[in-house]
Amino acid sequence: MFAKPWRALLALWLALILVAPAGAAAAEEPIELRSGTATVTVDGATQTAPVELSYHWDRKQQGRPGFASFDLPFTLGAAPETPWGIFIPRAGSVLEVSLNDALLQVYGDLGRANGPDYAKAPIYVPVPGHLLKAGDNHLQIRIRADGARRAGLSRVTIGPATPVRTDLFENAYAWRFTGSVLLTAFSLIVGGIALALWVTQVDVEAVGRHRRESIYFWAALAEFCWALRVADSVIAEPPLPWPAWGVLMAASYAGWMASAMMFCYHLAGWEGRPRLRWLRWPMGAVVAGTIGASSLALFREEPFWLTGWLAGEIVFITLFVCAFVVATVSRPSMERLLVAAAALVTLGFGVRDWLVIRLSDSYGETTWVRYSSVFFGIALLLIVLRRFHAASIEARGSVAALAERVAQRERELASTFAALEQVARDQARTHERERILRDMHDGVGSRISSAIRQLQSGQTSSEELLRTLQDSLDQLKLSIDSIHLPPGDVGALLAALRYRLEPRLAAAGIRLEWGVEEVPTVKGLDAQGMRQLQFLLFEAISNVLQHAQAKTLRIEAQPVAGAVQLRVIDDGRGFDAAQVPRALAERAGAVGARLAVESRAGRTVVQLEFD
C-alpha cells in the first residue's frame, strides 16, 4: 500500500533535481531587450509610443535634433546572486542610463548640443546587485540626438557580468575601438614610409627640375586621410563642434578615395597618356563635392544631401575601378593585381556600408570599409616597398656605372696629366737652354765681343785683354753654376761666387775677407732672380778687379731686423758715388733689392737689402 506514495515522492524528487538547475541557469542567461516604450521630443513636440529596437534616429526623425527616453522592461524570476552588467552596442549622441529609476551612468551632458559623441564605441555599464529585483524591472536610457549625427539606440543586453562583459562587450570593443586604434597606427606607418620615400627619392636627371615619384605622394596622402577618418572612431569629444567636425571627417573620407584613385591612376601609367589626364579633375571634384554636400547635410540637418552625393560617388568610383581592372587584365602585373583586388573588395564593402548605414533602419552596425582598407593599405605598402627596392637596385647599378665612368675619367686624366708633365719638363728644359744661351749672349758674348774689339783696335794691352777673357770665362762658369742653385738661397750663391772668383782675386793680389753669416731664404728670389743677383755681385766684384786698385775685398752677408743684407767692400781708390753704375741699379730693381752705394778713397761699399 506504500508503493504508490513512494513512487510519487521519488518522481517529485527527480523532478526537483532536474528542473531546479535549469531554472537557475535560465535566470543567469543574458537578456536581450528588443522592445519597450519611447518618449520622443522633436521641435518642441513630445510623443510616446511603443518602440522596437534598434532605433535609428536619423531615419526616424530625418536628421533633426531632439531627445528620446526609452523604457525597456524585463522580468526576473528571482534576484540575481552574481554581479550583472549592461551592454549597449551603440547609443548617442549623449546618454544617461538608469535602472529602476536609479541613475547608473552618464555619458556627456544632455543639456549641451553638438558636443561629445558616445555612439562611436560600445558601452558597458556595471549593475549593482541590489538594484535588480524579482519580477518586473525597468531599464531607462535617455539620449540627446544631434542633427544628422547617426544618433539612436541599438538593442541592449543585460545579464551576468562575466558573459556580458567578456563575450559581448570586450569582443565588440576590440573590433570597434581597439581595431580603430590599430588601423590608425597602421595607416600612419604606411603613410610615413610613403612620405619619406617621396621626400628622399628624387630623380636628379629630370630635365628642368628635380622630379619626385608621385605614386609615393598619393599613397602617403591616402593613408594620412584614412588615419584621420578612422581616428574619429576613438575620439568621443572632437576638438571642433559637431557640424564642422563632421564636414572634416567627410572631407578626410573623400580625400582617401581621391588619393587612392590617383595612386591607381599613376600605377596604371595613365599620367603619361594625354587623353586620360582629364581623370584628375573628377577626382578633385570628389573632394570638393563631398565638402559641399556634407556642409548642406550637417548644417541644414538634411542627411539626404550627403546620401545622394555618396551615391553619385559610388557610381563614379565603380566606373573608375572597372576601368582600372580592365587595364590590369590587359597588362597584368603583381602590383596591379594586388591593387585591383583590394579596390574590388573595398568597393563592395563601400556599397554595403552605403546601403546599411545610409538607407536601412538598422542601428548599431559598423562600417566594413575600415577593415577592407587594411587590404588596400597592405597593397600600397607592398607596391611602395617593391618600387623602392627596384629603384635601389637601379640606383646601385647607376652608382656602379658612374663609379666606372669616374674611374675611366680618372685614368684619362692621369694619362693627360702625365703627358702635360712631360710637356712641362720639356718646356722647362727648353727654357733653361734658352736662358743659358741668352746669358751667354748677353754676358759672355758681349765680353768676348769686347775682347775682339780690343784686339782689332790694337791699343789694348795684353793684361786688359786677358782680364776681359777671364771675365767672360768666369761669367760662363757662374751661369752654369746658377742652374743648380736653390731659389732664395743667398748663402749657396755666395759660396759658388767665392769658389769661382777667389783664384782671380788672389792672382790680382787682392786679399778676400769672408764675413758671411747664416741668413734665411729670400722668398722673392726665384731662379731668374738668383741669376740677376749673381750677375749683380759679379759686376761689383769685376769693377773692383778692373778699376779699384784695391788690396782687400770683403764680402758680408747677415740678417738685420728681419731683412737680409749683402755688402761688397773694398779699400780701393773709390769713385763718384752720385753716379751709380747703371747695370747695378737695373739688376737691383729686377730682384726687388734696395741698393745703396757709398765711395771714397780707401772705402767703397755696395749694399743690398732684401725684405
Side-chain angles (χ1 to χ4, degrees), residues 61-80:
Q61 307 299 334
Q62 290 77 47
R64 294 173 297 173
F67 298 88
S69 178
F70 299 90
D71 185 8
L72 307 175
F74 61 97
T75 302
L76 296 179

Side-chain angles (χ1 to χ4, degrees), residues 501-579:
L501 296 181
E502 189 172 17
R504 281 194 62 194
L505 292 172
I510 300 175
R511 182 169 59 86
L512 176 63
E513 293 183 357
W514 194 252
V516 176
E517 301 177 9
E518 184 176 355
V519 294
T521 300
V522 180
K523 296 181 180 180
L525 289 179
D526 55 7
Q528 180 65 23
M530 293 289 285
R531 290 192 294 272
Q532 292 292 342
L533 178 60
Q534 188 183 58
F535 293 155
L536 188 155
L537 294 174
F538 177 77
E539 186 76 20
I541 295 173
S542 179
N543 289 336
V544 173
L545 285 170
Q546 296 182 21
H547 309 295
Q549 298 178 3
K551 299 298 182 182
T552 303
L553 175 66
R554 180 175 177 80
I555 305 294
E556 293 182 353
Q558 58 186 351
V560 177
V564 175
Q565 186 182 85
L566 302 180
R567 304 177 75 186
V568 178
I569 306 170
D570 68 85
D571 57 355
R573 61 183 183 177
F575 64 91
D576 185 4
Q579 298 180 354

Side-chain angles (χ1 to χ4, degrees), residues 65-365:
F67 298 88
S69 178
F70 299 90
D71 185 8
L72 307 175
F74 61 97
T75 302
L76 296 179
E81 298 178 358
T82 59
W84 275 40
I86 302 170
F87 168 56
I88 307 174
R90 190 179 188 97
S93 306
V94 294
L95 67 152
E96 293 179 354
V97 181
S98 301
L99 179 63
N100 295 328
D101 297 324
L103 183 63
L104 297 180
Q105 196 69 268
V106 177
Y107 296 91
D109 183 2
L110 269 67
R112 175 189 171 195
N114 298 326
D117 182 10
Y118 289 94
K120 297 176 180 179
I123 295 173
Y124 176 79
V125 181
V127 177
H130 67 274
L131 293 180
L132 292 168
K133 58 185 179 179
D136 294 336
N137 293 268
H138 292 267
L139 176 65
Q140 297 95 23
I141 299 178
R142 290 178 291 276
I143 69 169
R144 178 187 184 113
D146 295 325
R149 202 173 187 179
R150 288 194 66 207
L153 178 64
S154 64
R155 292 180 177 178
V156 180
T157 302
I158 185 170
T162 300
V164 170
R165 182 177 181 87
T166 304
D167 299 337
L168 299 178
F169 170 75
E170 291 183 356
N171 185 50
Y173 191 86
W175 276 102
R176 289 179 58 186
F177 189 89
T178 308
S180 297
V181 173
L182 295 177
L183 287 174
T184 301
F186 174 76
S187 296
L188 289 176
I189 291 172
V190 175
I193 293 173
L195 181 62
L197 293 177
W198 180 73
V199 171
T200 58
Q201 301 302 303
V202 180
D203 183 5
V204 297
E205 297 182 358
V207 178
R209 61 184 180 87
H210 290 180
R211 180 177 178 275
R212 303 183 189 277
E213 186 63 51
S214 298
I215 198 170
Y216 297 144
F217 171 78
W218 293 114
L221 186 59
E223 290 303 316
F224 287 145
C225 287
W226 190 243
L228 179 59
R229 179 65 185 87
V230 176
D232 176 57
S233 300
V234 299
I235 302 175
E237 299 186 16
L240 298 177
W242 158 239
W245 183 256
V247 172
L248 178 60
M249 291 301 99
S252 300
Y253 188 80
W256 169 70
M257 290 189 295
S259 299
M261 287 190 291
M262 284 299 298
F263 181 88
C264 297
Y265 175 83
H266 285 275
L267 183 63
W270 292 343
E271 80 283 359
R273 301 170 64 179
R275 291 183 300 175
L276 296 177
R277 290 180 181 174
W278 63 271
L279 282 173
R280 295 175 295 180
W281 299 108
M283 296 177 196
V286 166
V287 179
T290 300
I291 294 175
S294 61
S295 298
L296 289 173
L298 301 182
F299 283 96
R300 297 180 60 174
E301 299 173 352
E302 297 174 350
F304 64 85
W305 289 102
L306 185 56
T307 301
W309 176 257
L310 291 177
E313 279 187 1
I314 290 174
V315 173
F316 172 71
I317 294 171
T318 300
L319 294 175
F320 182 89
V321 171
C322 290
F324 181 76
V325 170
V326 171
T328 300
V329 173
S330 61
R331 290 191 304 164
S333 68
M334 180 60 67
E335 295 181 351
R336 293 178 182 174
L337 289 173
L338 282 173
V339 174
L344 289 172
V345 173
T346 303
L347 178 62
F349 285 7
V351 173
R352 176 264 173 195
D353 290 345
W354 181 76
L355 293 173
V356 173
I357 304 299
R358 307 298 304 186
L359 297 184
S360 73
D361 291 335
S362 63
Y363 188 76
E365 297 286 342

